[in-house]
PDB file of all heavy atoms in Angstrom:
ATOM      1  N   ALA A 256     -27.666 -52.113  23.644  1.00  0.00           N
ATOM      2  CA  ALA A 256     -27.459 -52.905  24.827  1.00  0.00           C
ATOM      3  C   ALA A 256     -26.837 -54.238  24.501  1.00  0.00           C
ATOM      4  O   ALA A 256     -25.890 -54.701  25.172  1.00  0.00           O
ATOM      5  CB  ALA A 256     -28.809 -53.161  25.490  1.00  0.00           C
ATOM      6  N   ILE A 257     -27.314 -54.903  23.423  1.00  0.00           N
ATOM      7  CA  ILE A 257     -26.730 -56.182  23.039  1.00  0.00           C
ATOM      8  C   ILE A 257     -25.287 -56.009  22.543  1.00  0.00           C
ATOM      9  O   ILE A 257     -24.396 -56.801  22.860  1.00  0.00           O
ATOM     10  CB  ILE A 257     -27.601 -56.872  21.948  1.00  0.00           C
ATOM     11  CG1 ILE A 257     -29.011 -57.123  22.551  1.00  0.00           C
ATOM     12  CG2 ILE A 257     -26.981 -58.178  21.513  1.00  0.00           C
ATOM     13  CD1 ILE A 257     -30.009 -57.451  21.469  1.00  0.00           C
ATOM     14  N   LEU A 258     -25.093 -54.936  21.726  1.00  0.00           N
ATOM     15  CA  LEU A 258     -23.756 -54.675  21.199  1.00  0.00           C
ATOM     16  C   LEU A 258     -22.765 -54.482  22.356  1.00  0.00           C
ATOM     17  O   LEU A 258     -21.647 -55.028  22.353  1.00  0.00           O
ATOM     18  CB  LEU A 258     -23.777 -53.418  20.332  1.00  0.00           C
ATOM     19  CG  LEU A 258     -22.430 -52.939  19.785  1.00  0.00           C
ATOM     20  CD1 LEU A 258     -21.755 -53.989  18.960  1.00  0.00           C
ATOM     21  CD2 LEU A 258     -22.602 -51.608  19.041  1.00  0.00           C
ATOM     22  N   GLN A 259     -23.134 -53.730  23.353  1.00  0.00           N
ATOM     23  CA  GLN A 259     -22.242 -53.488  24.491  1.00  0.00           C
ATOM     24  C   GLN A 259     -21.944 -54.792  25.217  1.00  0.00           C
ATOM     25  O   GLN A 259     -20.809 -55.036  25.660  1.00  0.00           O
ATOM     26  CB  GLN A 259     -22.912 -52.460  25.471  1.00  0.00           C
ATOM     27  CG  GLN A 259     -22.034 -52.201  26.690  1.00  0.00           C
ATOM     28  CD  GLN A 259     -20.635 -51.704  26.351  1.00  0.00           C
ATOM     29  OE1 GLN A 259     -20.475 -50.934  25.369  1.00  0.00           O
ATOM     30  NE2 GLN A 259     -19.665 -52.125  27.137  1.00  0.00           N
ATOM     31  N   ASP A 260     -22.938 -55.657  25.344  1.00  0.00           N
ATOM     32  CA  ASP A 260     -22.711 -56.949  26.021  1.00  0.00           C
ATOM     33  C   ASP A 260     -21.806 -57.874  25.230  1.00  0.00           C
ATOM     34  O   ASP A 260     -21.068 -58.654  25.774  1.00  0.00           O
ATOM     35  CB  ASP A 260     -24.009 -57.600  26.333  1.00  0.00           C
ATOM     36  CG  ASP A 260     -24.757 -56.945  27.509  1.00  0.00           C
ATOM     37  OD1 ASP A 260     -24.096 -56.260  28.293  1.00  0.00           O
ATOM     38  OD2 ASP A 260     -26.009 -57.139  27.653  1.00  0.00           O
ATOM     39  N   ILE A 261     -21.880 -57.773  23.915  1.00  0.00           N
ATOM     40  CA  ILE A 261     -20.961 -58.547  23.065  1.00  0.00           C
ATOM     41  C   ILE A 261     -19.559 -58.001  23.219  1.00  0.00           C
ATOM     42  O   ILE A 261     -18.574 -58.733  23.344  1.00  0.00           O
ATOM     43  CB  ILE A 261     -21.419 -58.546  21.605  1.00  0.00           C
ATOM     44  CG1 ILE A 261     -22.697 -59.324  21.429  1.00  0.00           C
ATOM     45  CG2 ILE A 261     -20.328 -59.101  20.670  1.00  0.00           C
ATOM     46  CD1 ILE A 261     -23.313 -59.218  20.039  1.00  0.00           C
ATOM     47  N   ARG A 262     -19.439 -56.661  23.124  1.00  0.00           N
ATOM     48  CA  ARG A 262     -18.126 -56.040  23.211  1.00  0.00           C
ATOM     49  C   ARG A 262     -17.431 -56.253  24.556  1.00  0.00           C
ATOM     50  O   ARG A 262     -16.209 -56.444  24.663  1.00  0.00           O
ATOM     51  CB  ARG A 262     -18.243 -54.522  22.987  1.00  0.00           C
ATOM     52  CG  ARG A 262     -18.661 -54.156  21.581  1.00  0.00           C
ATOM     53  CD  ARG A 262     -18.852 -52.642  21.422  1.00  0.00           C
ATOM     54  NE  ARG A 262     -17.577 -51.951  21.558  1.00  0.00           N
ATOM     55  CZ  ARG A 262     -17.417 -50.660  21.379  1.00  0.00           C
ATOM     56  NH1 ARG A 262     -18.483 -49.882  21.119  1.00  0.00           N
ATOM     57  NH2 ARG A 262     -16.255 -50.085  21.511  1.00  0.00           N
ATOM     58  N   SER A 263     -18.220 -56.291  25.656  1.00  0.00           N
ATOM     59  CA  SER A 263     -17.648 -56.433  26.956  1.00  0.00           C
ATOM     60  C   SER A 263     -17.324 -57.920  27.258  1.00  0.00           C
ATOM     61  O   SER A 263     -16.628 -58.199  28.237  1.00  0.00           O
ATOM     62  CB  SER A 263     -18.644 -55.925  28.016  1.00  0.00           C
ATOM     63  OG  SER A 263     -19.796 -56.779  28.090  1.00  0.00           O
ATOM     64  N   GLY A 264     -17.831 -58.842  26.428  1.00  0.00           N
ATOM     65  CA  GLY A 264     -17.577 -60.253  26.647  1.00  0.00           C
ATOM     66  C   GLY A 264     -18.635 -60.929  27.520  1.00  0.00           C
ATOM     67  O   GLY A 264     -18.493 -62.119  27.821  1.00  0.00           O
ATOM     68  N   ARG A 265     -19.663 -60.226  27.848  1.00  0.00           N
ATOM     69  CA  ARG A 265     -20.813 -60.898  28.582  1.00  0.00           C
ATOM     70  C   ARG A 265     -21.367 -62.019  27.770  1.00  0.00           C
ATOM     71  O   ARG A 265     -21.654 -63.093  28.280  1.00  0.00           O
ATOM     72  CB  ARG A 265     -21.871 -59.868  28.944  1.00  0.00           C
ATOM     73  CG  ARG A 265     -23.039 -60.531  29.695  1.00  0.00           C
ATOM     74  CD  ARG A 265     -24.228 -59.621  29.863  1.00  0.00           C
ATOM     75  NE  ARG A 265     -25.333 -60.313  30.504  1.00  0.00           N
ATOM     76  CZ  ARG A 265     -26.575 -59.836  30.587  1.00  0.00           C
ATOM     77  NH1 ARG A 265     -26.809 -58.634  30.107  1.00  0.00           N
ATOM     78  NH2 ARG A 265     -27.543 -60.552  31.146  1.00  0.00           N
ATOM     79  N   TYR A 266     -21.543 -61.755  26.471  1.00  0.00           N
ATOM     80  CA  TYR A 266     -21.984 -62.798  25.545  1.00  0.00           C
ATOM     81  C   TYR A 266     -20.761 -63.321  24.782  1.00  0.00           C
ATOM     82  O   TYR A 266     -20.102 -62.559  24.083  1.00  0.00           O
ATOM     83  CB  TYR A 266     -23.041 -62.262  24.585  1.00  0.00           C
ATOM     84  CG  TYR A 266     -24.309 -61.768  25.218  1.00  0.00           C
ATOM     85  CD1 TYR A 266     -24.927 -60.599  24.752  1.00  0.00           C
ATOM     86  CD2 TYR A 266     -24.915 -62.507  26.257  1.00  0.00           C
ATOM     87  CE1 TYR A 266     -26.122 -60.190  25.357  1.00  0.00           C
ATOM     88  CE2 TYR A 266     -26.072 -62.037  26.804  1.00  0.00           C
ATOM     89  CZ  TYR A 266     -26.664 -60.887  26.364  1.00  0.00           C
ATOM     90  OH  TYR A 266     -27.859 -60.450  26.935  1.00  0.00           O
ATOM     91  N   GLN A 267     -20.507 -64.607  24.900  1.00  0.00           N
ATOM     92  CA  GLN A 267     -19.323 -65.223  24.303  1.00  0.00           C
ATOM     93  C   GLN A 267     -19.617 -65.784  22.896  1.00  0.00           C
ATOM     94  O   GLN A 267     -20.740 -66.124  22.592  1.00  0.00           O
ATOM     95  CB  GLN A 267     -18.848 -66.344  25.200  1.00  0.00           C
ATOM     96  CG  GLN A 267     -18.352 -65.873  26.575  1.00  0.00           C
ATOM     97  CD  GLN A 267     -17.074 -65.072  26.479  1.00  0.00           C
ATOM     98  OE1 GLN A 267     -16.117 -65.452  25.830  1.00  0.00           O
ATOM     99  NE2 GLN A 267     -17.071 -63.915  27.147  1.00  0.00           N
ATOM    100  N   PRO A 268     -18.586 -65.890  22.029  1.00  0.00           N
ATOM    101  CA  PRO A 268     -18.776 -66.521  20.733  1.00  0.00           C
ATOM    102  C   PRO A 268     -19.396 -67.889  20.877  1.00  0.00           C
ATOM    103  O   PRO A 268     -18.999 -68.675  21.718  1.00  0.00           O
ATOM    104  CB  PRO A 268     -17.325 -66.597  20.180  1.00  0.00           C
ATOM    105  CG  PRO A 268     -16.617 -65.468  20.840  1.00  0.00           C
ATOM    106  CD  PRO A 268     -17.178 -65.404  22.246  1.00  0.00           C
ATOM    107  N   GLY A 269     -20.383 -68.130  20.024  1.00  0.00           N
ATOM    108  CA  GLY A 269     -21.123 -69.414  20.095  1.00  0.00           C
ATOM    109  C   GLY A 269     -22.297 -69.444  20.987  1.00  0.00           C
ATOM    110  O   GLY A 269     -23.086 -70.380  20.991  1.00  0.00           O
TER     111      GLY A 269
END
Side-chain angles (χ1 to χ4, degrees):
I257 299 166
L258 175 61
Q259 179 56 37
D260 284 340
I261 291 173
R262 293 177 67 178
S263 69
R265 179 188 176 192
Y266 297 139
Q267 295 292 312

